[in-house]
Amino acid sequence: QVQLVQSGAEVKKPGASVKVSCKASGYTFTDYYLHWARQAPGQGLEWMGWFSPNNGATYYAQNFQGRVTMTRDTSITTAYMEVSGLRSGDTAVYYCARGGSMAGARVGHDYWGQGTLVTVSS
Amino acid sequence: DIQMTQSPSSLSASVGDRVTITCRASQGISNYLAWYQQIPGKVPKLLIYGASTLQSGVPSRFSGSGSGTDFTLTITSLQPEDVATYYCQKYYSSPWTFGQGTKVEVK
């Protein structure tokens, strides 16, 4: 069965960076895009961008350009999302979610990680 | 970028009621529209994709319709377990923007 398992909660100081991991299993890692989204406390979902495990291509939403980096290690079928220059407004649950296939099929996000709470506090 | 606007932002209905949530795109997105359910404290769950295709395992009381710019999620008979926030999302092109969400409560 498809699973996306994320790393544990983090507490960071303003200005620091955080790197969240998302380990994929149950499907061919390089066959599907991986997306990242976040949800601040009591707020809605905010889409951050997508990443291609196949060739490393990325697309970052405008709000995150220059501060977010998405990478992967295909040998361990794990994707990473790093946010730099953290501020209090980055306190949120960060989710990875599977996106469309490399073959072109798109159905939205059919599988999600469990979420990783990142708290930014001095 | 294409904006997604949901209405209402919240609603309260009785068990058994028919509930309708709308989502409007600022430009046409064909049928590249998904709906998600997020129960409080839980991970979002895909309900509908392609504007009207029910994801496997989702109860048939959920349905979606629309194309272009105007879309609807309908719950034909609201159940207590449907208390959640519902989000639309467009995936016609990047960015895959979410709507702001509709909170559904039971009276």
Side-chain angles (χ1 to χ4, degrees):
Chain A
Q1 70 285 16
V2 174
Q3 282 192 303
L4 298 173
V5 178
Q6 298 182 224
S7 49
E10 303 261 14
V11 179
K12 296 291 183 180
K13 293 192 183 302
S17 297
V18 68
K19 192 171 186 177
V20 179
S21 67
C22 172
K23 180 167 175 61
S25 62
Y27 71 99
T28 301
F29 181 59
T30 50
D31 280 355
Y32 289 84
Y33 291 88
L34 268 176
H35 297 229
W36 292 86
R38 74 177 186 181
Q39 188 169 39
Q43 302 300 309
L45 295 166
E46 182 179 22
W47 186 84
M48 300 177 68
W50 58 251
F51 174 78
S52 168
N54 184 43
N55 59 14
T58 56
Y59 179 100
Y60 302 134
Q62 189 169 10
N63 285 351
F64 300 99
Q65 289 175 9
R67 279 212 307 140
V68 167
T69 304
M70 297 176 188
T71 56
R72 92 293 199 193
D73 184 339
T74 54
S75 68
I76 56 172
T77 64
T78 299
Y80 303 93
M81 191 278 302
E82 183 172 21
V83 184
S84 61
L86 288 167
R87 39 205 187 224
S88 59
D90 292 318
T91 293
V93 175
Y94 289 77
Y95 293 102
C96 62
R98 199 171 77 165
S101 74
M102 298 299 159
R106 286 177 282 168
V107 297
H109 302 308
D110 54 355
Y111 292 93
W112 293 68
Q114 83 275 20
T116 297
L117 175 61
V118 175
T119 303
V120 183
S121 174
S122 54
Chain B
D1 292 345
I2 298 172
Q3 304 303 312
M4 306 300 293
T5 304
Q6 284 183 238
S7 61
S9 56
S10 66
L11 65 89
S12 182
S14 299
V15 172
D17 281 355
R18 181 184 184 93
V19 168
T20 298
I21 299 168
T22 64
C23 178
R24 174 164 289 176
S26 59
Q27 298 175 40
I29 58 170
S30 185
N31 66 337
Y32 291 95
L33 191 282
W35 290 98
Y36 301 88
Q37 176 194 60
Q38 188 176 31
I39 293 169
K42 301 295 187 182
V43 176
K45 172 187 173 182
L46 177 65
L47 295 178
I48 288 168
Y49 62 92
S52 61
T53 302
L54 210 61
Q55 174 71 339
S56 176
V58 174
S60 58
R61 63 180 179 274
F62 292 93
S63 64
S65 64
S67 183
T69 60
D70 293 313
F71 303 87
T72 300
L73 172 70
T74 300
I75 309 173
T76 52
S77 177
L78 187 67
Q79 300 300 304
E81 60 266 32
D82 299 335
V83 169
T85 300
Y86 294 83
Y87 296 92
C88 64
Q89 182 193 35
K90 69 96 168 170
Y91 55 95
Y92 176 75
S93 60
S94 297
W96 286 25
T97 309
F98 289 100
Q100 78 276 21
T102 296
K103 187 174 184 179
V104 174
E105 298 176 326
V106 172
K107 285 181 184 174

